[in-house]
Amino acid sequence: MTEDRTPAVSENPEGATAEDEEQPIKSRKNGLYGEVSDELAASMKSGWADTELHGLQPIPQAAFAAERRAKLSAAFPGERLVIPAGNLRVRANDTDYSFRAASEYVHLCGDQSEDAVLVAEPSGAEGHTFALYLRPRSDRENGEFWLDGYGELWVGRRHSLTEAAELYGLPTRDVRQAAEELAAATVPTRIVRGYDAALESALAGQLDEEKDDELKVFLSGLRLVKDAWEVEELRAACDATVKGFTDVVRELGQAVATSERWIEGTFWRRARVEGNDVGYGSIAAAGPHATTLHWVRNDGDVRPGELLLLDAGVETRNLYTADVTRTLPINGRFSELQRKIYDAVYDAQEAGIAAVKPGGRFRDFHDAAQRVLAERLLAWGLLDPAVYDVEKVLELGLQRRWSLHGTGHMLGLDVHDCAHARRENYVDAVLEPGMVLTVEPGLYFQQDDLTVPEEYRGIGVRIEDDILVTADGNENLSAGLPRRSDEVESWMAGLSG
């Protein structure tokens, strides 16, 4: 990384006032350059081509986003709604974490800019006028474009406000003026909290935490049923994820020679090539690490004869993510015990997927999968069939010692999508076409679990797929990856040969 990047202290793009332009841009404390000479400043102001883009077409999801905004408007008549994208967060000193815009914001407009805000102003009896507040292009008159650490010669070109208006189908305004403009008007206001502390502070006198929570709950529920454009994004995410798993199997030899980090890096490369990033921290858990549900350290050995549990998903450039898990024999063949445990999880997943259909309850796939796992634990004698039957095991939740987690969740812009939706609209709801969820049963036998035979200890198996509810049943969006144990072995053999 180049060392003379200066902190962003001034944003003076198109439409900036004279007062804005006179604000100095601070130099880095220990930068190698001193003051800018008049001659250099003059040179940097001239000799640049006009790069304004003309005749831009709306982004593909613009029409769908407009429909989502219409539903939001209808739910909150007469109130101003403020949905921030969020700000950059410092990783260390003057370096930031990669920015990922808030899902609520992206869902309603499609933009992914940091510091941006979508505002819905009440208009008429029940409607709203929406506007995007954005950071315009960095200014060339005062040198911000090359002196400021967030100027476009440092971090890349932003769209102008005019370009953004064409792309997103919304009026655009300078986000530097947002706090002042919004604070000046006394209108009943709600904001999605947790993304823009400065804006929340500026509007503090107009906000009510309970009402703000209601807005967040509504926006989470708005994503429960995916539209056609979103379904195609998730399909693309799953297709790219299939390629990522294929890459990993092809490179298992390098992973054996190094560590789980090779697996993580191999999948991440595919995610960056095919999409934006991984949708969550990849779990590349080999051997006993597979019994830790969210093993993301990925620093362990990869040993032939053990299993690899890989839980990973590609996030598309539009931020929709897949969430897929496969448990693979590192040497390409399951042992007898590994196969027995794997097949039990596979059967549980099959039962769960079969329960995903319109009109069924969200809980049905979980209950179906857990029943199969309970039956196998009883059959293996890990739970005493002389003391418990299946119904009692499920009533007491005894299978959870080895299955631990719920069998699935909603999927979309967030890997655990719609998490703030009302309970009656999510876990207690009836499934509808357009919902997308994961089905992911697992069995995990910890290394120190004295209640199971020694040969079970350290084995963890999970199988996870992304399931779309259709009008007449379901579609497995991640079906490109084999699931049955014999199919997994054949697939791996074909890739290694």
Side-chain angles (χ1 to χ4, degrees):
M1 170 176 285
T2 53
E3 67 172 57
D4 283 318
R5 172 170 167 166
T6 54
V9 295
S10 171
E11 289 288 341
N12 301 305
E14 66 233 52
T17 65
E19 182 180 352
D20 290 327
E21 292 177 0
E22 291 170 2
Q23 183 177 350
I25 295 173
K26 295 179 183 178
S27 298
R28 180 175 179 158
K29 180 178 179 181
N30 288 308
L32 293 174
Y33 286 109
E35 292 185 3
V36 175
S37 68
D38 291 343
E39 290 79 6
L40 176 58
S43 171
M44 294 300 288
K45 285 184 180 180
S46 62
W48 303 102
D50 179 8
T51 59
E52 181 74 8
L53 304 176
H54 302 281
L56 295 175
Q57 296 300 309
I59 59 173
Q61 66 264 46
F64 294 96
E67 293 178 5
R68 300 165 200 158
R69 293 194 299 271
K71 294 176 182 177
L72 172 63
S73 177
F76 298 96
E79 298 183 80
R80 180 170 59 193
L81 310 172
V82 181
I83 301 95
N87 315 124
L88 289 168
R89 297 183 184 275
V90 174
R91 183 181 186 274
N93 190 29
D94 58 353
T95 61
D96 301 310
Y97 287 103
S98 296
F99 179 72
R100 202 280 193 183
S103 295
E104 295 91 342
Y105 174 84
V106 173
H107 189 240
L108 292 169
C109 66
D111 176 55
Q112 299 179 32
S113 303
E114 66 266 23
D115 300 330
V117 186
L118 176 67
V119 177
E121 291 285 357
S123 173
E126 296 183 350
H128 289 81
T129 299
F130 286 84
L132 273 179
Y133 284 79
L134 301 168
R135 294 172 63 193
R137 291 192 64 186
S138 51
D139 190 89
R140 293 192 176 231
E141 281 301 307
N142 75 336
E144 181 255 348
F145 80 111
W146 72 283
L147 289 172
D148 189 283
Y150 295 92
E152 64 182 46
L153 294 196
W154 288 96
V155 299
R157 183 188 188 279
R158 293 190 291 270
H159 285 296
S160 70
L161 295 184
T162 300
E163 291 169 352
E166 293 176 349
L167 289 169
Y168 305 116
L170 286 165
T172 54
R173 298 183 61 82
D174 187 340
V175 74
R176 294 172 304 153
Q177 302 163 1
E180 181 179 357
E181 289 183 3
L182 297 177
T186 55
V187 181
T189 300
R190 300 180 191 240
I191 191 171
V192 181
R193 294 182 182 242
Y195 297 119
D196 196 319
L199 196 54
E200 289 177 33
S201 177
L203 298 175
Q206 304 180 30
L207 301 176
D208 177 279
E209 187 171 356
E210 184 175 341
K211 290 185 176 181
D212 293 344
D213 287 344
E214 290 173 354
L215 174 59
K216 191 174 185 72
V217 167
F218 176 84
L219 291 175
S220 196
L222 187 61
R223 302 204 303 272
L224 282 165
V225 176
K226 273 58 181 178
D227 57 41
W229 182 86
E230 291 179 290
V231 169
E232 290 309 306
E233 281 293 303
L234 287 167
R235 195 185 307 281
C238 287
D239 290 346
T241 297
V242 169
K243 295 179 184 178
F245 274 75
T246 303
D247 295 339
V248 166
V249 172
R250 286 197 175 109
E251 297 192 13
L252 273 179
Q254 288 96 319
V256 170
T258 52
S259 75
E260 295 164 339
R261 295 265 167 107
W262 190 279
I263 294 165
E264 177 186 354
T266 298
F267 187 87
W268 180 79
R269 181 181 66 234
R270 176 63 65 175
R272 289 290 285 163
V273 169
E274 296 276 333
N276 176 60
D277 206 330
V278 291
Y280 53 95
S282 298
I283 299 167
H289 288 163
T291 66
T292 300
L293 298 185
H294 289 166
W295 177 261
V296 292
R297 298 179 204 171
N298 299 336
D299 59 359
D301 293 333
V302 179
R303 293 177 288 261
E306 295 184 335
L307 298 176
L308 166 67
L309 189 158
L310 178 58
D311 184 336
V314 172
E315 177 185 77
T316 69
R317 289 180 173 86
N318 293 307
L319 307 186
Y320 286 78
T321 186
D323 182 9
V324 177
T325 306
R326 289 293 183 269
T327 305
L328 309 171
I330 293 167
N331 64 2
R333 298 286 297 179
F334 291 100
S335 71
E336 183 178 350
L337 179 59
Q338 290 169 350
R339 189 185 305 275
K340 181 176 80 168
I341 296 170
Y342 183 96
D343 288 349
V345 174
Y346 171 83
D347 290 343
Q349 195 201 27
E350 281 283 276
I353 292 174
V356 176
K357 54 190 174 184
R361 298 180 308 150
F362 179 85
R363 293 179 179 273
D364 288 349
F365 73 91
H366 169 74
D367 293 343
Q370 292 297 302
R371 178 173 292 275
V372 172
L373 296 180
E375 290 170 350
R376 298 304 168 87
L377 293 166
L378 284 164
W380 299 340
L382 303 185
L383 291 168
D384 190 347
V387 178
Y388 306 107
D389 61 13
V390 171
E391 300 303 330
K392 195 64 175 178
V393 168
L394 295 172
E395 177 189 341
L396 298 175
L398 298 180
Q399 84 284 358
R400 290 187 63 188
R401 180 181 178 100
W402 302 288
S403 66
L404 293 172
H405 55 80
T407 310
H409 52 80
M410 291 294 183
L411 185 69
L413 274 167
D414 292 343
V415 65
H416 294 155
D417 207 27
C418 314
H420 298 281
R422 296 187 186 281
R423 191 175 186 85
E424 60 267 27
N425 297 332
Y426 192 153
V427 295
D428 293 333
V430 171
L431 295 177
E432 302 177 39
M435 289 182 170
V436 180
L437 52 92
T438 67
V439 178
E440 50 175 312
L443 284 174
Y444 313 92
F445 300 103
Q446 305 301 323
Q447 281 187 299
D448 58 350
D449 188 349
L450 302 180
T451 69
V452 301
E454 185 175 359
E455 60 267 25
Y456 282 72
R457 299 173 198 167
I459 295 178
V461 174
R462 179 165 66 251
I463 311 171
E464 176 182 19
D465 285 273
D466 301 341
I467 310 299
L468 167 67
V469 183
T470 62
D472 56 358
N474 68 65
E475 177 188 351
N476 185 345
L477 299 179
S478 48
L481 284 175
R483 291 187 297 126
R484 223 173 54 208
S485 57
D486 60 334
E487 293 174 341
V488 168
E489 290 176 331
S490 296
W491 173 64
M492 294 182 69
L495 293 174
S496 65

